[in-house]
Amino acid sequence: MAKIGLIFNGVWSHYALATAPKYRDLYRLLYIHDLDAEAVRGLDALAIPFQSNQAVLTEKQAVIYDFLAAGKKVFLEGDSSTAWLDAQWEDRPVNNYWWVADPTNPPVATTNFGHPVYQGLTPRQACWHTHGVYTRVPAAAEIIQANAAGEVITWQTHQHGGTLLATTLDPLVEHGVQQITHLDHYVDRLTEWLSGVCPAPARLTIDAAAYGAGARL
Amino acid sequence: MLHALLISNGLQGLEKYYVSNAQVQYTTCLVTKDFSPDLLPYDLLVVPNGSDHVALLKIKDNVRAFLAAGRALVCCDGFFTAWVPGNQWVMDNARRSQDVRYSCGTDRHGLLAGLNLDELNFSHGMSGWWACGYIQAAPGAEVLLHDTWQRPIVVLDEVSTPGRLLLTASGPLADVSYAGQPDRAPVALYRNFIHLLSTSTVPAHG
């Protein structure tokens, strides 16, 4: 039974991840335009992927904050809007070729490998590329990852009751895209932290029957 | 001038990639809970990378009617739901991205003219960056680009409907030029399709 609600605005990478045999029993697609309190009832965690519709998230923010107030976990990746989040995200050019051009200078310089999501990961598994930075985070937030300039990549707060973990990494989208092939490590750690269930230690596969007329919506 | 309806999923930056110009006037349509745009005032429907294919499935009959009226569709995204007449995109990760190389198929209208294939094959020396998965193309549709394993990656379909469909296996296209910079392959392909639509006096054959 799914324990993680993946807020879904119809983007294919979200769909590819949530319907992959490895994850489909753990993630439930929650179509953003139908998101309400009933949709998240019984879930342990919410995941808000990169390429989400920030305007609709702003309209639906009470669902997210009520979920946190119930002591649950929310994971947010990629960009965000100050219209619903007390933090300032800023865009930056995406460098997804640093490991070819300058492998000694990754987009993340420091990582708290004591955080449950990052425990056991190598630096390479903990950073592939980033989509922008946070230039302001809540005062009581813990900084989990930062770049060489000290700008925040990953942070966490308990100020809303549960745990909100936010990052400008994009593990859920990129794992769905499958152009980076080492993301099982990060997403499996994240999935276990969110749901308490560790996915089978195998590479993500695709179920072609879930595409086209057989789409699982 | 063509009038295009650009479907927007509210993602950051979309407006930078489709800018009205002498050939195309873009009107942006945001996806909402009650998404049901009137397509018929437009010549072209543009479904860019990062689109909502749940919403598009809801209007599949409208899309079919639009194409039945001889209009055109560009979909450069992974269309995982069955809303595109005759064709279906399928995700696949069974092949290594480092082995991906595109090759040209038939191209009756010259849509690949001036296109540097290496710009789709490589980004900073890395291959497999542009498209994902492949298209199950309609019988008789023109496959402009195949991947290494001869799977359709770019398809021009003039047979499934009386209209024209330009489809990519999620590879992004754009209608934008940066001053002083030559058009890159995703722009060149898109612009060649716009040129076809703008100059064609013969409708696509149904």
Side-chain angles (χ1 to χ4, degrees), chain A residues 94-170:
Chain A
V94 178
N95 181 348
N96 56 14
Y97 52 91
W98 63 270
W99 56 278
V100 175
D102 186 4
T104 63
N105 190 23
V108 165
T110 59
T111 296
N112 174 6
F113 285 101
H115 187 281
V117 171
Y118 291 85
Q119 284 174 12
L121 297 182
T122 67
R124 190 74 184 85
Q125 293 163 351
C127 171
W128 44 101
H129 58 240
T130 55
H131 288 275
V133 300
Y134 280 96
T135 56
R136 178 179 61 79
V137 297
E142 305 164 50
I143 309 304
I144 312 295
Q145 291 184 294
N147 66 17
E151 295 169 314
V152 176
I153 302 300
T154 305
W155 55 278
Q156 174 175 286
T157 182
H158 305 289
Q159 73 183 91
H160 304 291
T163 304
L164 170 64
L165 176 64
T167 182
T168 71
L169 299 171
D170 59 345

